[in-house]
């Protein structure tokens, strides 16, 4: 599968049609999805939209909406009216969305066609897609390994070649880490750049929707379509809310060396060092920085996130949505529904969140974590006076094997490099920086460029230069 930009060019030139591309996508799904399990549902009926798009290109050519006929895969926590939105949970197994999320409404306006719903960790909690109630997704690059998570199905759908791009959500790395494990570009926008209306909430102060693509240019294109103020989400912002510094030819990159020493795979570190050398060779300036508080993000995240999870998931009570298990009393219904409907990891986080929010512990845990968050933001503000971007690896390891990370704490440690940016709300672009070899298989590893609030455009600009235009 080519890029969005290339497909669009071919559609306009009449070299290929949306219908052909849609049928190819379905053929790949039929051939591979039984094994990979990237898709929870395939929207075969969307073929009629591909027919309409094909006709429109014949007469309207470039005077068509920018994504007309482009097939996309959508993480199953993003609401599409009339389609099932399960968040890969038994509790929402039979829940059908009654409205379009803003992200979907905007993609529809731009002409995109949705080929199917992708698998994920239940309610986006996890980093391997092993927490799905509907089976693990395999990494198409090495089927013994996980595709990352929680947007693992979306990453696999692109890596399998079904679609040129897919939508994911990122609360603590769920777009960037699967991008790293599957060799893709992943973008976590400035908090508030993209409306959360119609996303099944995990941590409301952390969640953002964003694209998984093959090029930075495609990520920029999709972000341009889905972002912007939305009256349905009071936390959305306009780009000019922030003073964004102008684009430059060369930039200053800060490397938090001490942070990197923390449990990183030596091969990943070597690849990272080579990437930094290539930046120097391209004329950029590299400086060492210290981020003593930012580094502590993981500890703060695993307090703030479960606190928000426990509140957000209180709505799944057997009365309002999805599964309802009969009981003798109302309390009995709540208990039975939640006991049967939620998986192990979701329950663990609800318990943790309820604990840190309970009176007596609130000040000791939740209050402290929010304080740390404030200090992290202040530290970043100071740091960005010296540097344009912070650069760190996306994940400490390449894709691990299915079943390898049994201990939940070991799994949480995987998130060390991704969660600090969600806590501070800044934008981050992730893309492949090289490969490492495991058991004779070459596996991709990713790098992240972190920018100040609102400097999403600067990230796309540097990302296109460094990644899309690589020799
Ligand atoms: N892996 C992280 C977690 O388990 C991030 C999840 C996410 O971004 N949705 O919480």
């Amino acid at each position: 599968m080519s890029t969005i930009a290339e497909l669009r060019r071919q559609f306009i030139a009449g070299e290929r049609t949306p219908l052909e591309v849609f049928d190819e996508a379905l053929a790949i799904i039929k051939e591979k999805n039984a094994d990979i399990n990237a898709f929870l549902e395939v929207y075969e009926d969307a073929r009629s939209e591909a027919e309409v798009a094909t006709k429109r290109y014949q007469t309207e050519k470039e005077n068509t909406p920018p994504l007309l006929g482009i097939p996309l895969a959508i993480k199953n926590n993003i609401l599409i009216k009339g389609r099932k939105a399960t968040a890969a949970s038994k509790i929402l197994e039979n829940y059908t969305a009654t409205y379009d999320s803003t992200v979907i409404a905007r993609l529809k306006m731009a002409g995109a066609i949705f080929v199917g719903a992708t698998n994920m960790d239940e309610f986006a909690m996890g980093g391997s897609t092993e927490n799905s109630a509907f089976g693990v997704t395999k990494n198409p690059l090495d089927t013994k390994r996980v595709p990352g998570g929680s947007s693992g199905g979306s990453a696999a759908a692109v890596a399998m070649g079904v679609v040129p791009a897919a939508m994911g959500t990122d609360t603590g790395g769920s777009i960037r880490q699967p991008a790293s494990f599957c060799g893709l570009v992943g973008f976590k926008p400035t908090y508030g750049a993209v409306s959360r209306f119609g996303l099944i909430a995990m941590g409301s102060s952390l969640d953002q929707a964003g694209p998984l693509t093959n090029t930075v240019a495609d990520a920029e294109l999709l972000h341009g379509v889905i972002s912007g103020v939305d009256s349905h989400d009071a936390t959305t912002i306009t780009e000019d809310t922030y003073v964004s510094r102008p684009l430059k030819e060369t930039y200053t990159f800060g490397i938090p060396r001490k942070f990197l020493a923390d449990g990183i795979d030596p091969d990943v570190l070597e690849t990272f060092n080579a990437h930094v050398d290539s930046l120097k060779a391209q004329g950029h300036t590299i400086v060492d920085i210290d981020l003593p508080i930012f580094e502590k993000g993981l500890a703060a995240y695993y307090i703030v996130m479960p606190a928000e999870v426990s509140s957000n998931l209180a709505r799944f009570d057997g009365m309002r949505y999805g599964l309802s298990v009969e009981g003798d009393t109302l309390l009995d219904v709540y208990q039975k529904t939640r006991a049967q409907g939620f998986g192990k990891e979701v329950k663990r986080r609800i318990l943790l969140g309820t604990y840190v929010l309970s009176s007596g512990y609130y000040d000791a845990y939740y209050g402290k974590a929010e304080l740390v968050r404030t200090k992290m933001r202040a530290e970043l503000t100071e740091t960005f006076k010296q540097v344009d971007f912070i650069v760190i690896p996306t994940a400490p390891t390449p894709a691990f094997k299915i079943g390898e990370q049994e201990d939940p704490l070991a799994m949480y440690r995987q998130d060390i490099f991704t969660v600090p940016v969600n806590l501070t709300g800044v934008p981050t672009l992730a893309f492949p920086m090289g490969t490492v070899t495991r058991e004779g298989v070459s596996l991709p590893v990713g790098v992240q460029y972190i920018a100040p609030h609102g400097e999403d455009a600067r990230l796309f600009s540097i990302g296109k230069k460094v990644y899309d235009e690589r020799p």
Side-chain angles (χ1 to χ4, degrees), residues 387-411:
V387 303
D388 297 304
F389 305 113
I390 296 167
V391 54
I392 50 173
T394 307
T397 67
F400 45 87
K401 287 194 181 155
I402 294 168
E404 191 181 323
Q405 305 272 12
E406 288 219 319
D407 171 18
L409 285 180
M411 188 73 96

Side-chain angles (χ1 to χ4, degrees), residues 75 77 120-121 123-128 131 149-151 169-177 202 207 301-302 305 345 349 411-412 414-415 418-419 422:
K75 188 177 182 179
N77 61 348
M120 54 185 282
D121 287 297
F123 283 103
M125 299 176 206
S128 66
N131 294 338
S150 63
S151 312
T169 58
D170 193 311
T171 304
S174 283
I175 292 173
R176 291 161 287 150
Q177 185 252 25
M202 179 177 161
D207 299 343
Y301 174 79
Y302 275 96
M305 175 273 297
E345 183 60 26
R349 296 193 192 198
M411 188 73 96
Y412 297 169
Q414 277 283 327
D415 303 333
T418 47
V419 298
N422 300 77

